[in-house]
mmCIF file of all heavy atoms in Angstrom:
data_model
loop_
_atom_site.group_PDB
_atom_site.id
_atom_site.type_symbol
_atom_site.label_atom_id
_atom_site.label_comp_id
_atom_site.label_asym_id
_atom_site.label_seq_id
_atom_site.Cartn_x
_atom_site.Cartn_y
_atom_site.Cartn_z
ATOM 1 N N LEU Z 1 -7.390 -0.777 -9.774
ATOM 2 C CA LEU Z 1 -6.470 -1.993 -9.622
ATOM 3 C C LEU Z 1 -6.225 -2.298 -8.147
ATOM 4 O O LEU Z 1 -6.218 -3.480 -7.782
ATOM 5 C CB LEU Z 1 -5.157 -1.575 -10.307
ATOM 6 C CG LEU Z 1 -5.140 -1.409 -11.716
ATOM 7 C CD1 LEU Z 1 -3.806 -0.939 -12.293
ATOM 8 C CD2 LEU Z 1 -5.646 -2.570 -12.544
ATOM 9 N N GLY Z 2 -6.101 -1.218 -7.297
ATOM 10 C CA GLY Z 2 -6.033 -1.510 -5.846
ATOM 11 C C GLY Z 2 -7.216 -2.242 -5.205
ATOM 12 O O GLY Z 2 -7.063 -3.054 -4.377
ATOM 13 N N GLY Z 3 -8.414 -1.797 -5.685
ATOM 14 C CA GLY Z 3 -9.608 -2.297 -5.201
ATOM 15 C C GLY Z 3 -9.678 -3.803 -5.605
ATOM 16 O O GLY Z 3 -10.189 -4.706 -4.814
ATOM 17 N N ILE Z 4 -9.356 -4.115 -6.841
ATOM 18 C CA ILE Z 4 -9.329 -5.559 -7.275
ATOM 19 C C ILE Z 4 -8.295 -6.329 -6.497
ATOM 20 O O ILE Z 4 -8.530 -7.552 -6.041
ATOM 21 C CB ILE Z 4 -8.901 -5.557 -8.778
ATOM 22 C CG1 ILE Z 4 -10.052 -5.000 -9.633
ATOM 23 C CG2 ILE Z 4 -8.653 -7.041 -9.222
ATOM 24 C CD1 ILE Z 4 -9.695 -4.847 -11.112
ATOM 25 N N LEU Z 5 -7.117 -5.758 -6.188
ATOM 26 C CA LEU Z 5 -6.093 -6.387 -5.412
ATOM 27 C C LEU Z 5 -6.617 -6.804 -3.979
ATOM 28 O O LEU Z 5 -6.459 -8.004 -3.499
ATOM 29 C CB LEU Z 5 -4.896 -5.501 -5.261
ATOM 30 C CG LEU Z 5 -3.693 -6.064 -4.419
ATOM 31 C CD1 LEU Z 5 -3.153 -7.302 -4.810
ATOM 32 C CD2 LEU Z 5 -2.647 -4.932 -4.339
ATOM 33 N N ILE Z 6 -7.141 -5.814 -3.254
ATOM 34 C CA ILE Z 6 -7.647 -6.047 -1.928
ATOM 35 C C ILE Z 6 -8.695 -6.987 -1.943
ATOM 36 O O ILE Z 6 -8.982 -7.777 -0.932
ATOM 37 C CB ILE Z 6 -7.873 -4.757 -1.178
ATOM 38 C CG1 ILE Z 6 -7.988 -5.027 0.359
ATOM 39 C CG2 ILE Z 6 -9.130 -4.056 -1.623
ATOM 40 C CD1 ILE Z 6 -6.685 -5.467 0.956
ATOM 41 N N ALA Z 7 -9.616 -6.952 -2.917
ATOM 42 C CA ALA Z 7 -10.812 -7.825 -2.929
ATOM 43 C C ALA Z 7 -10.407 -9.243 -3.130
ATOM 44 O O ALA Z 7 -11.008 -10.214 -2.534
ATOM 45 C CB ALA Z 7 -11.797 -7.346 -4.018
ATOM 46 N N SER Z 8 -9.383 -9.535 -4.077
ATOM 47 C CA SER Z 8 -8.918 -10.825 -4.379
ATOM 48 C C SER Z 8 -7.991 -11.471 -3.297
ATOM 49 O O SER Z 8 -8.018 -12.526 -2.999
ATOM 50 C CB SER Z 8 -8.267 -10.920 -5.733
ATOM 51 O OG SER Z 8 -7.197 -9.904 -5.778
ATOM 52 N N TRP Z 9 -7.043 -10.556 -2.735
ATOM 53 C CA TRP Z 9 -6.068 -10.947 -1.780
ATOM 54 C C TRP Z 9 -6.771 -11.085 -0.459
ATOM 55 O O TRP Z 9 -6.554 -12.049 0.298
ATOM 56 C CB TRP Z 9 -4.919 -10.012 -1.835
ATOM 57 C CG TRP Z 9 -3.916 -10.136 -0.701
ATOM 58 C CD1 TRP Z 9 -3.468 -11.267 -0.170
ATOM 59 C CD2 TRP Z 9 -3.284 -9.063 -0.058
ATOM 60 N NE1 TRP Z 9 -2.610 -10.973 0.856
ATOM 61 C CE2 TRP Z 9 -2.411 -9.630 0.965
ATOM 62 C CE3 TRP Z 9 -3.220 -7.635 -0.215
ATOM 63 C CZ2 TRP Z 9 -1.618 -8.892 1.805
ATOM 64 C CZ3 TRP Z 9 -2.446 -6.931 0.676
ATOM 65 C CH2 TRP Z 9 -1.638 -7.482 1.635
ATOM 66 N N GLY Z 10 -7.471 -10.101 -0.020
ATOM 67 C CA GLY Z 10 -8.057 -10.058 1.318
ATOM 68 C C GLY Z 10 -7.130 -9.500 2.371
ATOM 69 O O GLY Z 10 -7.593 -9.268 3.486
ATOM 70 N N GLY Z 11 -5.899 -9.173 2.085
ATOM 71 C CA GLY Z 11 -5.021 -8.560 3.069
ATOM 72 C C GLY Z 11 -4.548 -9.548 4.119
ATOM 73 O O GLY Z 11 -4.823 -10.822 4.085
ATOM 74 N N PHE Z 12 -3.699 -9.005 5.067
ATOM 75 C CA PHE Z 12 -3.210 -9.883 6.174
ATOM 76 C C PHE Z 12 -4.361 -10.249 7.136
ATOM 77 O O PHE Z 12 -5.379 -9.513 7.218
ATOM 78 C CB PHE Z 12 -2.104 -9.200 6.982
ATOM 79 C CG PHE Z 12 -0.924 -8.860 6.047
ATOM 80 C CD1 PHE Z 12 -0.464 -7.541 5.890
ATOM 81 C CD2 PHE Z 12 -0.179 -9.914 5.396
ATOM 82 C CE1 PHE Z 12 0.608 -7.220 5.140
ATOM 83 C CE2 PHE Z 12 0.905 -9.664 4.671
ATOM 84 C CZ PHE Z 12 1.341 -8.325 4.452
ATOM 85 N N LYS Z 13 -4.095 -11.296 7.994
ATOM 86 C CA LYS Z 13 -5.153 -11.642 8.887
ATOM 87 C C LYS Z 13 -5.407 -10.608 9.871
ATOM 88 O O LYS Z 13 -6.524 -10.242 10.260
ATOM 89 C CB LYS Z 13 -4.629 -12.956 9.643
ATOM 90 C CG LYS Z 13 -5.653 -13.477 10.628
ATOM 91 C CD LYS Z 13 -5.190 -14.752 11.340
ATOM 92 C CE LYS Z 13 -6.201 -15.344 12.207
ATOM 93 N NZ LYS Z 13 -5.771 -16.598 12.874
ATOM 94 N N HIS Z 14 -4.432 -9.829 10.398
ATOM 95 C CA HIS Z 14 -4.568 -8.606 11.184
ATOM 96 C C HIS Z 14 -4.699 -7.478 10.145
ATOM 97 O O HIS Z 14 -3.722 -7.094 9.509
ATOM 98 C CB HIS Z 14 -3.341 -8.454 12.057
ATOM 99 C CG HIS Z 14 -3.452 -7.342 13.059
ATOM 100 N ND1 HIS Z 14 -3.949 -6.099 12.803
ATOM 101 C CD2 HIS Z 14 -3.079 -7.268 14.379
ATOM 102 C CE1 HIS Z 14 -3.990 -5.331 13.789
ATOM 103 N NE2 HIS Z 14 -3.531 -6.009 14.826
ATOM 104 N N HIS Z 15 -5.912 -6.986 10.006
ATOM 105 C CA HIS Z 15 -6.257 -6.115 8.897
ATOM 106 C C HIS Z 15 -5.342 -4.893 8.955
ATOM 107 O O HIS Z 15 -4.928 -4.368 7.827
ATOM 108 C CB HIS Z 15 -7.726 -5.747 9.028
ATOM 109 C CG HIS Z 15 -8.615 -6.848 8.945
ATOM 110 N ND1 HIS Z 15 -8.472 -7.984 8.012
ATOM 111 C CD2 HIS Z 15 -9.752 -7.205 9.565
ATOM 112 C CE1 HIS Z 15 -9.452 -8.880 8.160
ATOM 113 N NE2 HIS Z 15 -10.272 -8.324 9.147
ATOM 114 N N LEU Z 16 -5.071 -4.343 10.048
ATOM 115 C CA LEU Z 16 -4.361 -3.011 10.076
ATOM 116 C C LEU Z 16 -2.894 -3.200 9.784
ATOM 117 O O LEU Z 16 -2.189 -2.216 9.435
ATOM 118 C CB LEU Z 16 -4.506 -2.340 11.416
ATOM 119 C CG LEU Z 16 -5.919 -1.836 11.752
ATOM 120 C CD1 LEU Z 16 -5.988 -1.131 13.068
ATOM 121 C CD2 LEU Z 16 -6.399 -0.997 10.609
ATOM 122 N N HIS Z 17 -2.395 -4.410 9.714
ATOM 123 C CA HIS Z 17 -1.028 -4.589 9.145
ATOM 124 C C HIS Z 17 -1.027 -4.279 7.627
ATOM 125 O O HIS Z 17 -0.011 -3.762 7.050
ATOM 126 C CB HIS Z 17 -0.513 -6.067 9.422
ATOM 127 C CG HIS Z 17 -0.153 -6.387 10.785
ATOM 128 N ND1 HIS Z 17 0.126 -7.578 11.281
ATOM 129 C CD2 HIS Z 17 -0.156 -5.529 11.892
ATOM 130 C CE1 HIS Z 17 0.400 -7.565 12.535
ATOM 131 N NE2 HIS Z 17 0.259 -6.323 12.939
ATOM 132 N N THR Z 18 -2.112 -4.606 7.020
ATOM 133 C CA THR Z 18 -2.288 -4.198 5.576
ATOM 134 C C THR Z 18 -2.329 -2.641 5.387
ATOM 135 O O THR Z 18 -1.645 -2.116 4.611
ATOM 136 C CB THR Z 18 -3.597 -4.827 5.026
ATOM 137 O OG1 THR Z 18 -3.670 -6.261 5.345
ATOM 138 C CG2 THR Z 18 -3.653 -4.693 3.501
ATOM 139 N N THR Z 19 -3.037 -2.091 6.333
ATOM 140 C CA THR Z 19 -3.050 -0.593 6.307
ATOM 141 C C THR Z 19 -1.765 0.084 6.541
ATOM 142 O O THR Z 19 -1.334 0.972 5.747
ATOM 143 C CB THR Z 19 -4.073 -0.058 7.283
ATOM 144 O OG1 THR Z 19 -5.358 -0.429 6.856
ATOM 145 C CG2 THR Z 19 -3.928 1.460 7.485
ATOM 146 N N LEU Z 20 -0.923 -0.504 7.431
ATOM 147 C CA LEU Z 20 0.352 0.028 7.763
ATOM 148 C C LEU Z 20 1.356 -0.205 6.582
ATOM 149 O O LEU Z 20 2.144 0.723 6.215
ATOM 150 C CB LEU Z 20 0.913 -0.606 9.057
ATOM 151 C CG LEU Z 20 0.222 -0.203 10.331
ATOM 152 C CD1 LEU Z 20 0.801 -0.984 11.415
ATOM 153 C CD2 LEU Z 20 0.300 1.344 10.574
ATOM 154 N N LEU Z 21 1.208 -1.392 6.003
ATOM 155 C CA LEU Z 21 2.101 -1.623 4.872
ATOM 156 C C LEU Z 21 1.773 -0.703 3.683
ATOM 157 O O LEU Z 21 2.646 -0.064 3.097
ATOM 158 C CB LEU Z 21 1.819 -3.109 4.311
ATOM 159 C CG LEU Z 21 2.603 -3.475 2.987
ATOM 160 C CD1 LEU Z 21 4.105 -3.354 3.188
ATOM 161 C CD2 LEU Z 21 2.256 -4.905 2.603
ATOM 162 N N ALA Z 22 0.390 -0.478 3.482
ATOM 163 C CA ALA Z 22 0.001 0.438 2.379
ATOM 164 C C ALA Z 22 0.415 1.853 2.730
ATOM 165 O O ALA Z 22 0.789 2.619 1.799
ATOM 166 C CB ALA Z 22 -1.565 0.413 2.212
ATOM 167 N N GLY Z 23 0.347 2.252 3.983
ATOM 168 C CA GLY Z 23 0.818 3.552 4.421
ATOM 169 C C GLY Z 23 2.298 3.731 4.118
ATOM 170 O O GLY Z 23 2.704 4.813 3.626
ATOM 171 N N GLY Z 24 3.062 2.761 4.468
ATOM 172 C CA GLY Z 24 4.498 2.832 4.205
ATOM 173 C C GLY Z 24 4.872 2.927 2.671
ATOM 174 O O GLY Z 24 5.687 3.733 2.279
ATOM 175 N N VAL Z 25 4.162 2.073 1.888
ATOM 176 C CA VAL Z 25 4.351 2.096 0.475
ATOM 177 C C VAL Z 25 3.835 3.557 -0.064
ATOM 178 O O VAL Z 25 4.627 4.103 -0.978
ATOM 179 C CB VAL Z 25 3.536 0.992 -0.230
ATOM 180 C CG1 VAL Z 25 3.603 1.142 -1.722
ATOM 181 C CG2 VAL Z 25 4.151 -0.386 0.231
ATOM 182 N N TYR Z 26 2.743 3.925 0.406
ATOM 183 C CA TYR Z 26 2.210 5.349 0.012
ATOM 184 C C TYR Z 26 3.269 6.385 0.235
ATOM 185 O O TYR Z 26 3.546 7.185 -0.663
ATOM 186 C CB TYR Z 26 0.928 5.659 0.705
ATOM 187 C CG TYR Z 26 0.191 6.769 0.134
ATOM 188 C CD1 TYR Z 26 -1.085 6.475 -0.447
ATOM 189 C CD2 TYR Z 26 0.568 8.119 0.118
ATOM 190 C CE1 TYR Z 26 -1.885 7.511 -0.905
ATOM 191 C CE2 TYR Z 26 -0.261 9.052 -0.351
ATOM 192 C CZ TYR Z 26 -1.373 8.810 -0.966
ATOM 193 O OH TYR Z 26 -2.182 9.880 -1.527
ATOM 194 N N GLY Z 27 3.819 6.413 1.420
ATOM 195 C CA GLY Z 27 4.957 7.345 1.737
ATOM 196 C C GLY Z 27 6.143 7.281 0.827
ATOM 197 O O GLY Z 27 6.635 8.257 0.375
ATOM 198 N N THR Z 28 6.524 6.020 0.479
ATOM 199 C CA THR Z 28 7.656 5.771 -0.380
ATOM 200 C C THR Z 28 7.352 6.305 -1.786
ATOM 201 O O THR Z 28 8.228 6.994 -2.412
ATOM 202 C CB THR Z 28 7.955 4.304 -0.525
ATOM 203 O OG1 THR Z 28 8.212 3.779 0.907
ATOM 204 C CG2 THR Z 28 9.181 4.044 -1.342
ATOM 205 N N ILE Z 29 6.133 6.128 -2.211
ATOM 206 C CA ILE Z 29 5.693 6.556 -3.581
ATOM 207 C C ILE Z 29 5.665 8.067 -3.654
ATOM 208 O O ILE Z 29 5.796 8.679 -4.698
ATOM 209 C CB ILE Z 29 4.473 5.920 -4.068
ATOM 210 C CG1 ILE Z 29 4.502 4.321 -4.088
ATOM 211 C CG2 ILE Z 29 3.985 6.338 -5.431
ATOM 212 C CD1 ILE Z 29 3.303 3.538 -4.357
ATOM 213 N N MET Z 30 5.218 8.732 -2.484
ATOM 214 C CA MET Z 30 5.155 10.212 -2.439
ATOM 215 C C MET Z 30 6.527 10.695 -2.717
ATOM 216 O O MET Z 30 6.738 11.718 -3.444
ATOM 217 C CB MET Z 30 4.622 10.645 -1.121
ATOM 218 C CG MET Z 30 3.108 10.556 -0.997
ATOM 219 S SD MET Z 30 2.467 11.241 0.684
ATOM 220 C CE MET Z 30 2.855 12.907 0.498
ATOM 221 N N ILE Z 31 7.510 10.037 -2.091
ATOM 222 C CA ILE Z 31 8.949 10.489 -2.316
ATOM 223 C C ILE Z 31 9.257 10.276 -3.795
ATOM 224 O O ILE Z 31 9.946 11.155 -4.437
ATOM 225 C CB ILE Z 31 9.935 9.618 -1.442
ATOM 226 C CG1 ILE Z 31 9.635 9.899 0.126
ATOM 227 C CG2 ILE Z 31 11.356 9.896 -1.744
ATOM 228 C CD1 ILE Z 31 10.388 8.909 0.974
ATOM 229 N N GLY Z 32 8.766 9.191 -4.326
ATOM 230 C CA GLY Z 32 9.022 8.907 -5.835
ATOM 231 C C GLY Z 32 8.432 10.022 -6.702
ATOM 232 O O GLY Z 32 8.981 10.431 -7.726
ATOM 233 N N LEU Z 33 7.187 10.402 -6.327
ATOM 234 C CA LEU Z 33 6.483 11.440 -7.038
ATOM 235 C C LEU Z 33 7.398 12.788 -7.030
ATOM 236 O O LEU Z 33 7.451 13.499 -8.026
ATOM 237 C CB LEU Z 33 5.139 11.826 -6.467
ATOM 238 C CG LEU Z 33 3.952 11.020 -6.835
ATOM 239 C CD1 LEU Z 33 2.692 11.454 -6.089
ATOM 240 C CD2 LEU Z 33 3.608 11.137 -8.325
ATOM 241 N N GLY Z 34 7.934 13.040 -5.890
ATOM 242 C CA GLY Z 34 8.753 14.279 -5.675
ATOM 243 C C GLY Z 34 10.006 14.204 -6.450
ATOM 244 O O GLY Z 34 10.609 15.298 -6.745
ATOM 245 N N THR Z 35 10.461 13.037 -6.835
ATOM 246 C CA THR Z 35 11.776 12.940 -7.535
ATOM 247 C C THR Z 35 11.532 12.603 -8.996
ATOM 248 O O THR Z 35 12.543 12.300 -9.718
ATOM 249 C CB THR Z 35 12.673 11.855 -6.907
ATOM 250 O OG1 THR Z 35 11.927 10.626 -6.910
ATOM 251 C CG2 THR Z 35 12.972 12.215 -5.495
ATOM 252 N N ALA Z 36 10.389 12.577 -9.524
ATOM 253 C CA ALA Z 36 10.098 12.190 -10.900
ATOM 254 C C ALA Z 36 10.383 13.374 -11.791
ATOM 255 O O ALA Z 36 9.979 14.529 -11.632
ATOM 256 C CB ALA Z 36 8.526 11.906 -11.062
ATOM 257 N N HIS Z 37 11.217 13.042 -12.785
ATOM 258 C CA HIS Z 37 11.768 14.185 -13.666
ATOM 259 C C HIS Z 37 11.117 14.106 -15.019
ATOM 260 O O HIS Z 37 11.315 15.090 -15.839
ATOM 261 C CB HIS Z 37 13.228 14.056 -13.821
ATOM 262 C CG HIS Z 37 14.015 14.251 -12.448
ATOM 263 N ND1 HIS Z 37 13.916 15.494 -11.770
ATOM 264 C CD2 HIS Z 37 14.765 13.468 -11.758
ATOM 265 C CE1 HIS Z 37 14.593 15.416 -10.652
ATOM 266 N NE2 HIS Z 37 15.108 14.248 -10.615
ATOM 267 N N VAL Z 38 10.460 12.957 -15.369
ATOM 268 C CA VAL Z 38 9.826 12.876 -16.695
ATOM 269 C C VAL Z 38 8.192 12.575 -16.377
ATOM 270 O O VAL Z 38 7.947 12.026 -15.424
ATOM 271 C CB VAL Z 38 10.418 11.877 -17.559
ATOM 272 C CG1 VAL Z 38 11.770 12.292 -17.955
ATOM 273 C CG2 VAL Z 38 10.422 10.464 -16.888
#
């Protein structure tokens, strides 16, 4: 799904802004993984 997203969207004009956003989201979801109870 992520591959389809980046292929269709293309990301921000400054490519690494996309990487930084994804990195921030990844970190947030890691916290979510750690707090998942079900």
Side-chain angles (χ1 to χ4, degrees):
L1 297 175
I4 294 171
L5 173 63
I6 195 66
S8 56
W9 169 37
F12 297 120
K13 185 176 180 181
H14 189 314
H15 301 319
L16 292 184
H17 286 175
T18 310
T19 291
L20 292 175
L21 174 62
V25 174
Y26 195 113
T28 304
I29 300 171
M30 282 180 70
I31 297 171
L33 275 178
T35 57
H37 297 297
V38 293

